[in-house]
Amino acid sequence: MGIQNIAIATNPEARKVFLRHLIDDVQALQQMLDEELFESGITRIGAEQEFCLVNSFYKPSRNNLRVLETIGDRHFTTELARYNLEINLDPVELKAGAIDGMAAQLREMLEKAAQAAALHGEKVVLAGILPSIDYRCVQLDYLTPRDRYRALDTMLKNLRGGEFELNISGVDELIIKHRNILFEACNTSFQMHYQVNPAEFVQKYNWAQAIAGPVLSVCTNSPLLIGRQLWAETRIPLFQQSIDTRSIGFHMRERQQRVTFGNKWISVPTDVYKSDIARHTILFSTDIEKSSLQVLREGGIPKLRALMLHNGTVYKWNRPCYGVSGGVPHLRIENRYLPSGPTQADEMANMAFWAGLMHGMPERYSEIEKMMPFEHAKENFQKAAMWGIGSIMWWEGEHIAAKRLVTDKLIPIADEGLAKAGVPEEERFRWLSIVLRRTASYHTGSRWMLGSFRKLRKDLSRDEACTALTAILYKRQQSGEVVSKWKTAETKELEGIRMRYEIAGNAMTTDLITVQEHDLADMVQRIMSWRNIRHLPVEDNDGRLLGLITKAGLTAWLQANPDQPFATAADVMQRDPLTISAGMEIEAALDLMERNNLSCLPVVTEGLLAGLITDKDAAKIRSRHRLISDNEDNDTTPEG
């Protein structure tokens, strides 16, 4: 999707021309392989760092274009959401100093981003999914205003033919419908590239699939989404579901997601491309002047623009990539499943681990399809995403704990692979020891984040805990320590950290007890007593708000009508109560409560009850905002 001049593939004539180029590109790729035109005998690695921008209250920013302009560096580019940017690191040959050199450039680039962000009153945070993301941040006004992102949103919605759906279950559940692709933007990754000799591509690609589960299991960093505790690496199901173009039908037909691990081992390098063309409709087209086959006939090297554009809209977790550098084509494998963060050092340790594994593939694994059914590799990946370092892997005919598989078998392979590339022992130890300590201590980014969130929730609301976690995550990242050394976050660490509610959706209570209109008033009174609550919404079977019962109002009604044993909620409720939307500015919502002398304000989204804001919530919010205002009187931090 890096191509700027694209169009939605709806024009029949333009579509036919693009498809012709797509077919030619596959043929050209095979011809270049047959004629051995690809670069060989050298291994390069590269990486793409996605990162988040947060404002002074640790909420997602909307300033990525301003920050990007301030940075003014070709290594940086936009991402789908206005709170994300991406760094493209320079590819380097895998040899002595490669990991150290890439780490140095990553530090330099992130520091440049941090300095630019600070000029706008913002901060850079590395997170697979930013904890402080809320429902507001997945609305279209957070979409980066670029034609290609609008086009992607339009095309995927048209293919879907309706709303997108999320249904992710872990400790908590997140079940929601949404109307755009912005949930996909919640994912922030550290994507890694490994250049492959064409003759070894099939073996190395299958090996990359085989190790994906174990590698992911010790690198997870995304257990939360909108305050829900879901998978150890929630990015995996979130990405798959947030842009899923399939709809539910009344048939048994199998259809593959555009975000996929794959379904089988490959046998020739072009297998993946051919399968994707066969299974997935093209989304976009672009003007291409000359056929790739004609370019080859004329002695040139084609860019395969049609194939690369289509490849960019099918999201393999291990994606094959074609590139041309200095007029010479090459093949590489892109690892897309690892999250951003929790620190720069942890990310580069992951790079060393994965690159070492790729380079050090033992000869006995060159025919992995004879050792492991593909379904086991896919199952390992799914387990790693769900349970992280606590998962059990299937490996070489036995079930083995991910922790032991990594420490006993895979880290030694990675060490040998880096040594084979000429990386000295000191450099190897510097990076692989980070993965080893993280694994041995059972202390991944996901484990730290979950432990910290649960501790913060003892004192804070869900949204407060998410925002506090983001603030403390930022502080930990500035400390320079890797995640295996981080202590669980505590509420006392929030001293001096500014957090502010912005919209009603941030402040509302969502864990609600409700009743229906035909429930007995006596039962309503008992429920309110049992649960020690003062406000009880009345809703229908579809979740539409019908009325509101207050403890004071119910008590008064029962006292006035003592001989009504079969009175119902409909008899005692306040009908058509004043409501607000989740996106309403919080100050406006609090003013509305004060003007109307309300002790409770229901929050409704598209006619359905979403939450409540009570007078106790209002008092806490007012107190926090006054504290922030007092602190701002003496604050000299520049604001964007």
Side-chain angles (χ1 to χ4, degrees):
M1 285 298 295
I3 298 174
Q4 301 294 323
N5 183 26
I6 62 173
I8 297 176
T10 54
N11 181 283
E13 293 305 315
R15 182 184 177 88
K16 285 191 289 186
V17 171
F18 184 81
L19 285 171
R20 180 71 264 169
H21 283 295
L22 190 58
I23 294 169
D24 288 351
D25 282 359
V26 175
Q27 290 180 286
L29 177 61
Q30 187 62 58
Q31 183 177 329
M32 285 188 286
L33 287 167
D34 294 340
E35 296 177 4
E36 299 183 352
L37 299 180
F38 282 91
E39 184 175 36
S40 186
I42 186 170
T43 300
R44 294 186 182 89
I45 57 174
E48 302 166 48
Q49 171 73 75
E50 297 174 354
F51 62 89
C52 300
L53 295 168
V54 298
N55 62 24
S56 57
F57 301 113
Y58 297 93
K59 283 291 188 178
S61 160
R62 295 174 57 181
N63 273 345
N64 66 343
L65 295 183
R66 291 181 182 177
V67 174
L68 182 63
E69 183 179 4
T70 301
I71 294 171
D73 188 312
R74 65 174 179 81
H75 292 90
F76 290 78
T77 188
T78 57
E79 274 294 314
L80 188 63
R82 297 174 69 174
Y83 49 83
N84 289 339
L85 286 173
E86 178 182 284
I87 304 168
N88 292 288
L89 299 179
D90 296 325
V92 297
E93 184 178 351
L94 183 58
K95 60 181 182 180
I99 307 297
D100 287 350
M102 184 173 284
Q105 187 188 26
L106 179 59
R107 285 194 298 271
E108 177 188 346
M109 293 292 102
L110 285 171
E111 179 59 30
K112 182 177 287 191
Q115 291 175 2
L119 294 175
H120 297 275
E122 298 184 343
K123 299 175 176 64
V124 169
V125 178
L126 301 180
I129 297 175
L130 191 68
S132 58
I133 285 174
D134 55 37
Y135 291 108
R136 185 183 193 181
C137 305
V138 292
Q139 306 308 314
L140 275 181
D141 57 345
Y142 275 80
L143 182 75
T144 298
R146 291 282 191 265
D147 288 344
R148 66 185 186 274
Y149 300 137
R150 295 191 188 98
L152 182 63
D153 178 65
T154 299
M155 192 63 185
L156 290 178
K157 283 191 293 189
N158 289 344
L159 284 175
R160 173 76 182 179
E163 297 174 320
F164 294 93
E165 299 173 354
L166 294 181
N167 190 338
I168 309 173
S169 295
V171 174
D172 300 319
E173 282 186 323
L174 182 65
I175 303 174
I176 190 172
K177 290 185 178 181
H178 55 109
R179 293 178 173 175
N180 60 67
I181 61 170
L182 257 295
F183 264 107
E184 187 274 331
C186 299
N187 297 296
T188 318
S189 61
F190 184 71
Q191 297 164 19
M192 306 183 297
H193 295 252
Y194 177 87
Q195 185 175 328
V196 184
N197 291 334
E200 300 177 319
F201 184 85
V202 169
Q203 292 84 0
K204 286 294 180 75
Y205 186 82
N206 287 340
W207 172 243
Q209 294 281 76
I211 63 175
V215 170
L216 177 62
S217 71
V218 296
C219 300
T220 58
N221 190 41
S222 313
L224 299 172
L225 177 61
I226 314 183
R228 271 64 175 183
Q229 304 170 72
L230 302 172
W231 290 19
E233 192 53 45
T234 303
R235 287 173 47 260
I236 304 303
L238 177 60
F239 196 15
Q240 289 175 334
Q241 295 182 29
S242 61
I243 60 171
D244 193 353
T245 57
R246 303 171 304 172
S247 57
I248 299 173
F250 298 97
H251 48 70
M252 296 296 291
R253 177 183 167 193
E254 294 183 33
R255 296 177 62 192
Q256 195 175 105
Q257 294 172 305
R258 296 192 86 92
V259 180
T260 178
F261 185 78
N263 285 318
K264 63 179 182 179
W265 304 116
I266 67 170
S267 56
V268 295
T270 54
D271 272 358
V272 180
Y273 296 118
K274 291 176 180 177
S275 175
D276 290 344
I277 292 171
R279 288 182 177 274
H280 301 291
T281 184
I282 63 170
L283 300 183
F284 304 105
S285 63
T286 188
D287 293 333
I288 300 173
E289 294 181 0
K290 189 180 293 187
S291 164
S292 53
L293 291 173
Q294 182 180 348
V295 173
L296 276 176
R297 285 194 295 269
E298 294 173 354
I301 298 297
K303 294 184 178 179
L304 307 184
R305 294 182 66 201
L307 186 60
M308 293 305 97
L309 179 56
H310 184 62
N311 190 49
T313 64
V314 180
Y315 306 95
K316 291 283 194 299
W317 292 115
N318 283 304
R319 184 157 68 181
C321 295
Y322 167 89
V324 181
S325 180
V328 181
H330 67 266
L331 292 175
R332 63 187 189 275
I333 296 169
E334 180 187 18
N335 175 330
R336 299 175 51 82
Y337 55 81
L338 292 190
S340 177
T343 71
Q344 303 168 40
D346 281 294
E347 290 176 329
M348 288 310 305
N350 296 342
M351 165 62 87
F353 181 39
W354 183 71
L357 279 172
M358 291 299 298
H359 206 68
M361 182 190 75
E363 180 62 29
R364 67 182 185 277
Y365 292 115
S366 61
E367 294 183 300
I368 191 74
E369 66 277 7
K370 295 181 180 179
M371 301 179 64
M372 176 187 294
F374 185 83
E375 290 79 7
H376 285 311
K378 191 171 185 177
E379 181 183 4
N380 286 346
F381 185 76
Q382 189 82 357
K383 287 177 179 177
M386 294 179 72
W387 301 310
I389 198 170
S391 55
I392 303 296
M393 301 281 150
W394 194 97
W395 193 263
E396 293 191 88
E398 66 172 335
H399 287 93
I400 179 173
K403 179 178 177 180
R404 187 160 69 89
L405 174 57
V406 169
T407 56
D408 294 357
K409 296 179 182 289
L410 298 188
I411 286 183
I413 294 175
D415 186 57
E416 290 178 13
L418 294 177
K420 177 182 174 183
V423 179
E425 182 178 2
E426 181 183 359
E427 187 177 357
R428 302 197 311 267
F429 177 79
R430 180 182 303 114
W431 299 109
L432 293 180
S433 63
I434 293 174
V435 179
L436 184 59
R437 285 196 299 268
R438 186 199 309 153
T439 306
S441 64
Y442 202 75
H443 201 64
T444 61
S446 289
R447 299 311 308 170
W448 176 82
M449 197 171 289
L450 282 175
S452 297
F453 178 74
R454 290 166 182 171
K455 196 164 188 178
L456 292 170
R457 278 289 279 134
K458 293 179 180 179
D459 303 312
L460 304 172
S461 69
R462 189 195 303 271
D463 185 76
E464 286 176 326
C466 288
T467 307
L469 184 60
T470 302
I472 297 171
L473 172 63
Y474 173 77
K475 287 178 65 176
R476 291 286 196 278
Q477 290 174 354
Q478 301 310 300
S479 72
E481 291 188 330
V482 294
V483 72
S484 61
K485 298 181 179 180
W486 288 6
K487 294 181 179 179
T488 305
E490 296 183 285
T491 310
K492 64 182 180 182
E493 295 184 66
L494 297 176
E495 184 176 350
I497 291 177
R498 309 186 323 164
M499 295 191 301
R500 184 184 182 95
Y501 291 104
E502 296 176 334
I503 58 172
N506 297 151
M508 67 185 181
T509 298
T510 58
D511 185 12
L512 304 178
I513 303 295
T514 66
V515 294
Q516 296 192 331
E517 59 182 333
H518 299 300
D519 290 336
L520 290 176
D522 180 56
M523 187 185 79
V524 171
Q525 185 181 44
R526 292 175 187 275
I527 289 174
M528 298 181 84
S529 175
W530 294 338
R531 300 304 297 261
N532 192 28
I533 52 180
R534 298 177 298 133
H535 308 92
L536 199 60
V538 183
E539 60 181 352
D540 64 14
N541 289 330
D542 296 322
R544 286 188 289 268
L545 181 67
L546 302 178
L548 183 68
I549 300 174
T550 66
K551 186 174 183 179
L554 175 61
T555 300
W557 192 95
L558 291 175
Q559 289 176 348
N561 300 272
D563 54 350
Q564 297 289 330
F566 294 102
T568 66
D571 296 323
V572 302
M573 70 182 183
Q574 173 193 346
R575 295 180 181 273
D576 300 319
L578 188 63
T579 65
I580 60 172
S581 70
M584 187 175 191
E585 295 291 335
I586 191 62
E587 291 293 345
L590 298 187
D591 289 343
L592 188 65
M593 290 182 71
E594 289 181 2
R595 289 198 309 271
N596 291 276
N597 194 29
L598 299 174
S599 63
C600 177
L601 192 56
V603 182
V604 173
T605 300
E606 298 183 2
L608 303 180
L609 179 65
L612 296 177
I613 297 177
T614 69
D615 48 3
K616 289 185 178 180
D617 297 325
K620 182 173 62 174
I621 295 166
R622 289 292 197 201
S623 175
R624 182 180 295 282
H625 286 195
R626 279 195 297 270
L627 177 61
I628 292 172
S629 298
D630 291 342
N631 290 338
E632 285 177 340
D633 291 340
N634 299 315
D635 188 5
T636 58
T637 303
E639 293 293 335

